[in-house]
Amino acid sequence: MENVDYIIVGDGYASLFFAHQLIKNNKSFVIFSDEKKSASRVSAGIINPVVLKKFTTFWKAQEQIVFLKKTLDEIEKYTGQNYLIDAPIHRIFHDENEQKLWLKKSANDDLVYFLDKNFAHLEGVKNDFNSGKVNQSARLDVNGFFMGLFDFLRNNRQIINEKFIYSTINTSDHTYKNFKYNHIVFCEGMGVKNNPFFSDIPVVPNKGHHIKVKLFQHLPENITIKKKHFLFPLNDNTYFYGGTYDREQLHYDVDASAVEQLTNGLKEFYPHNFDIEQVNFGFRPTVKDRRPIIGRHPQQPNMYVFNGLGARGILNGCYFSKSLYDFIENGIPLHDEIALKRFFPQ
């Protein structure tokens, strides 16, 4: 029997950022990964403090940006690589009214450090009304992040590539197979719906598609272009364009309507030929109030859930991983806006 402080179930952003908190604090753990392609692993990796439809920001945006950069610096110390890509978002304006709204909002206290007042004209795309730069925005090298962290964890025998079987947990003596644990943290995304301990948490699947395209005229590599969706270069001379949002078509197949939406969206501002080389999709776990769901099971005091990261999985997963760690290890209460008890008062 092997003793561990933590078992983590799941292998997306919530899992890996929480694992980082354990590494920092010298806690022993194993992660159970069934090696399915999670929403995290097919995500765009956008790090963005601004809601670009309305030019607004969100709760703790500045704190999350600062904490993420600090965390990625810490991760670099043991993986040997920093996965932050300095490629700020440039939002293409539809018309003069959007330009005026951007300038007006840029004077607000909560947006003054995010909305750049100097507009830019982008080469190679249609942007008759120029574009606005989102300061402090960036991207995560998603593939590099997961490969780098998984390699580190495998080398330390902290990844177990098998499906987690809930019925095998012995809740009385805190064992699972050949592990004796102090805590279990479930970071399963939409897989939580199969979890008998937390299946009733109110996460809603939001299906997102993106396309991998070959552009016949290349664009600048040091920016991320946004109009309806995000466009940016990948490492293999292709580009990412996406993603869509759909709460209705929840089957496990590619939606032709989503591909058509993406194709038409790209044609709106990219006036050159392109080929679609791949279509991917994932199911984001979203919550009605747009806050993560974090907390302890009411009857099993050493079981926890970390879920509902939504479209801001990187920022939410990174920032609130420390909130969960401090809650478990130091007894620091969770903020009411993220706590599980807001849905299930204990």
Side-chain angles (χ1 to χ4, degrees), residues 48-51 55-62 110-111 114 312:
N48 176 25
V50 176
V51 179
F55 308 151
T56 56
T57 188
F58 50 87
W59 186 53
K60 293 187 176 293
Q62 183 64 74
D110 59 345
L111 288 162
F114 299 144
R312 299 191 189 102

Side-chain angles (χ1 to χ4, degrees), residues 41-102:
R41 298 189 71 175
V42 298
S43 67
I46 300 296
I47 300 163
N48 176 25
V50 176
V51 179
L52 289 170
K53 188 174 183 179
K54 301 177 181 179
F55 308 151
T56 56
T57 188
F58 50 87
W59 186 53
K60 293 187 176 293
Q62 183 64 74
E63 294 97 319
Q64 290 188 39
I65 292 283
V66 171
F67 190 78
L68 175 65
K69 291 179 178 179
K70 175 177 175 288
T71 299
L72 292 175
D73 286 343
E74 293 168 350
I75 290 173
E76 182 180 11
K77 292 176 181 176
Y78 56 84
T79 65
Q81 185 174 345
N82 195 302
Y83 304 104
L84 187 68
I85 300 172
D86 183 14
I89 297 166
H90 282 256
R91 165 61 151 82
I92 293 177
F93 295 122
H94 292 83
D95 51 39
E96 289 183 358
N97 288 331
E98 282 197 336
Q99 289 180 329
K100 292 175 182 177
L101 180 60
W102 179 283

Side-chain angles (χ1 to χ4, degrees), residues 5-20:
D5 294 315
Y6 287 84
I7 289 176
I8 302 173
V9 182
D11 58 8
Y13 290 128
S15 170
L16 294 190
F17 281 121
F18 185 71
H20 172 67

Side-chain angles (χ1 to χ4, degrees), residues 124-126 217 219 266-274:
V125 296
K126 294 179 182 176
Q217 179 167 318
L219 300 174
L266 183 53
K267 286 179 178 178
E268 275 190 22
F269 68 95
Y270 182 75
H272 315 287
N273 291 331
F274 62 88

Side-chain angles (χ1 to χ4, degrees), residues 105-171:
K105 292 288 187 74
S106 69
N108 292 357
D109 289 344
D110 59 345
L111 288 162
V112 65
Y113 297 111
F114 299 144
L115 301 184
D116 199 307
K117 293 182 172 64
N118 298 310
F119 298 156
H121 186 78
L122 305 178
E123 296 298 325
V125 296
K126 294 179 182 176
N127 56 129
D128 296 340
F129 299 95
N130 296 327
S131 70
K133 176 184 173 185
V134 181
N135 293 324
Q136 301 189 59
S137 62
R139 291 200 315 270
L140 185 75
D141 175 3
V142 175
N143 190 52
F145 176 80
F146 280 100
M147 285 185 63
L149 278 167
F150 276 24
D151 285 347
F152 174 82
L153 294 168
R154 283 192 197 99
N155 289 339
N156 287 277
R157 296 186 173 182
Q158 292 168 310
I159 286 278
I160 298 175
N161 293 124
E162 62 181 58
K163 185 176 181 180
F164 190 86
I165 309 299
Y166 306 104
S167 59
T168 306
I169 302 174
N170 187 322
T171 57

